[in-house]
Amino acid sequence: DDDDDDVIGEETTASSEELPTLEAFLAELGLGDLMEKFEAEHLDFETLRDCTDAELKELGLSLGHRKKITSGLAKVTVKSQAEALERRQQKLEAKLQKQKASAARSKQRAKRAEAALKAARDAPPAPAKQGQAETTYKPLRFKLKNLFLLGSPLGFYATLRPQTRQFFQAEYRLPTCSNLFNVMHPFDPLGYRLEPLVDPGCTVPPKKLGHHQGRDRIHLELTGYLREAGKDLKKEVQQWAGTAWSAIRGRMGLEEGHVSQEQPAMAPVDPLPQADESVTVGCLNTLGRIDLTLQEAPFDLVNEHLMSLKSHTSYWSSEDAVLFMLTRVYAK
């Protein structure tokens, strides 16, 4: 992997820096008197390692001297490779120990979480307050993978209780559940968003779920067409106004660089907020978006207040919501 390549690169650099000098090398072989000849030819230890036997013979070295130099260079190479291998082994062992320590810490955290969960399951229920019915909730006997919140007011209560906001950090994950989805109807008065708690700077609207027939509802498609047509119309009007104003300026004899105070200015119009498919918020699921909204029916737009009374009980009868949940449950 990349870490091993970095280790090998560091060891190669280190071994090249630890090579002996030419003078020390010749002195160790008892050939110090050849130093003047090598200096005259501008040879150092690195270039000596690249010299062949024929080139050493051309320098006037005897066969005995050439054999000594060749044997000495081979020993230096073997020694440097052995030292580099030892350093690499030490670094790999240190890396392995670090990975083992990290795995041990992760295992300890998992054990603590499991112990806390078991303690919470085995803890006796809190005594009911006066006038409050006592309820005992049995623990789940299966591993939870997907949690679907349908029109949940969890975001509202989490906002009122600051101590619960620590569970809505950007890197927070549910310890016993892989995916959490907050599904809501656009007119549901009890459905509150969670993404602004995870990311206070989140300005994108909730992600719209797809229609069970594979396309957006007709009124949403018309809205998109009208929005695009409005953008095109605005662009054409701006171009026409600019052309007309240039013609008027030419008739009035104004200079090209002069701008009259009576020139009409068109204020920019902010586009309607649209969901960005590339935006991801939090780590509560693998989809990248927590807040999901159903597509309202055309009849729902007739009276939003009347629809708000019905929307909270419409999730299990919504084919879009059921299709989304089945898709996530049977996702690989």
Side-chain angles (χ1 to χ4, degrees):
D1 53 358
D2 294 340
D3 294 338
D4 293 341
D5 294 340
D6 294 340
V7 171
I8 295 174
E10 292 175 359
E11 290 167 355
T12 303
T13 304
S15 61
S16 62
E17 293 176 353
E18 296 173 2
L19 293 176
T21 62
L22 179 60
E23 184 177 1
F25 175 72
L26 294 176
E28 185 178 356
L29 297 178
L31 302 176
D33 54 337
L34 299 179
M35 188 63 191
E36 294 181 0
K37 182 178 295 187
F38 287 150
E39 287 180 347
E41 297 293 335
H42 303 287
L43 291 176
D44 55 10
F45 185 78
E46 287 290 340
T47 52
L48 179 62
R49 297 178 67 181
D50 297 332
C51 291
T52 62
D53 184 74
E55 292 173 339
L56 294 177
K57 186 176 181 181
E58 290 180 2
L59 293 177
L61 299 183
S62 63
L63 177 62
H65 289 171
R66 296 199 304 272
K67 291 292 184 180
K68 284 186 177 182
I69 292 175
T70 303
S71 177
L73 291 176
K75 290 180 180 180
V76 170
T77 302
V78 172
K79 181 180 179 182
S80 62
Q81 291 178 350
E83 291 176 352
L85 182 61
E86 183 179 0
R87 285 192 297 271
R88 181 187 179 191
Q89 185 176 1
Q90 292 176 354
K91 290 188 177 182
L92 291 178
E93 289 178 355
K95 181 180 177 181
L96 180 60
Q97 293 296 331
K98 186 177 180 180
Q99 292 178 348
K100 288 182 178 180
S102 178
R105 289 193 297 269
S106 300
K107 189 175 181 181
Q108 291 177 357
R109 287 195 296 267
K111 286 184 177 180
R112 288 196 296 267
E114 184 178 358
L117 182 61
K118 185 177 183 301
R121 288 177 177 175
D122 299 339
K129 298 181 181 180
Q130 185 177 2
Q132 181 181 2
E134 183 176 354
T135 305
T136 302
Y137 298 97
K138 295 182 180 181
L140 300 176
R141 299 300 181 183
F142 58 88
K143 185 177 180 181
L144 189 62
K145 183 178 180 181
N146 297 291
L147 175 60
F148 300 95
L149 306 180
L150 304 179
S152 172
L154 177 61
F156 172 75
Y157 290 110
T159 304
L160 295 180
R161 300 180 62 185
Q163 61 270 24
T164 62
R165 295 180 185 176
Q166 59 178 328
F167 300 108
F168 292 99
Q169 302 298 324
E171 302 297 330
Y172 178 75
R173 300 174 184 268
L174 293 176
T176 57
C177 180
S178 303
N179 298 295
L180 182 145
F181 303 100
N182 185 32
V183 182
M184 68 188 76
H185 192 280
F187 302 145
D188 188 355
L190 299 181
Y192 285 81
R193 298 189 61 185
L194 295 178
E195 290 179 346
L197 293 176
V198 177
D199 183 7
C202 178
T203 58
V204 294
K207 178 181 176 63
K208 280 190 176 294
L209 294 180
H211 192 257
H212 64 279
Q213 293 183 352
R215 56 181 297 177
D216 291 341
R217 295 183 183 270
I218 184 64
H219 67 286
L220 296 178
E221 291 186 354
L222 290 176
T223 302
Y225 294 151
L226 292 176
R227 183 186 295 113
E228 294 298 328
K231 291 180 180 178
D232 295 339
L233 179 60
K234 174 187 173 183
K235 183 178 180 180
E236 292 180 2
V237 169
Q238 288 177 342
Q239 292 178 352
W240 174 82
T243 304
W245 181 247
S246 298
I248 293 174
R249 289 172 58 201
R251 292 291 183 87
M252 296 176 64
L254 297 178
E255 295 181 358
E256 187 66 24
H258 179 70
V259 178
S260 174
Q261 296 180 356
E262 299 179 359
Q263 179 179 359
M266 301 185 65
V269 180
D270 293 333
L272 295 176
Q274 303 182 34
D276 189 353
E277 298 295 334
S278 62
V279 173
T280 58
V281 181
C283 301
L284 292 177
N285 59 47
T286 57
L287 186 62
R289 295 298 304 275
I290 306 171
D291 295 335
L292 309 168
T293 180
L294 300 175
Q295 297 185 19
E296 67 274 9
F299 179 76
D300 298 345
L301 299 174
V302 177
N303 194 327
E304 298 182 4
H305 300 287
L306 181 62
M307 187 55 200
S308 65
L309 302 176
K310 177 187 174 183
S311 60
H312 189 65
T313 60
S314 64
Y315 293 102
W316 291 111
S317 61
S318 171
E319 295 174 323
D320 299 346
V322 174
L323 176 62
F324 170 73
M325 288 188 286
L326 290 176
T327 303
R328 301 308 305 178
V329 168
Y330 291 101
K332 294 182 180 180

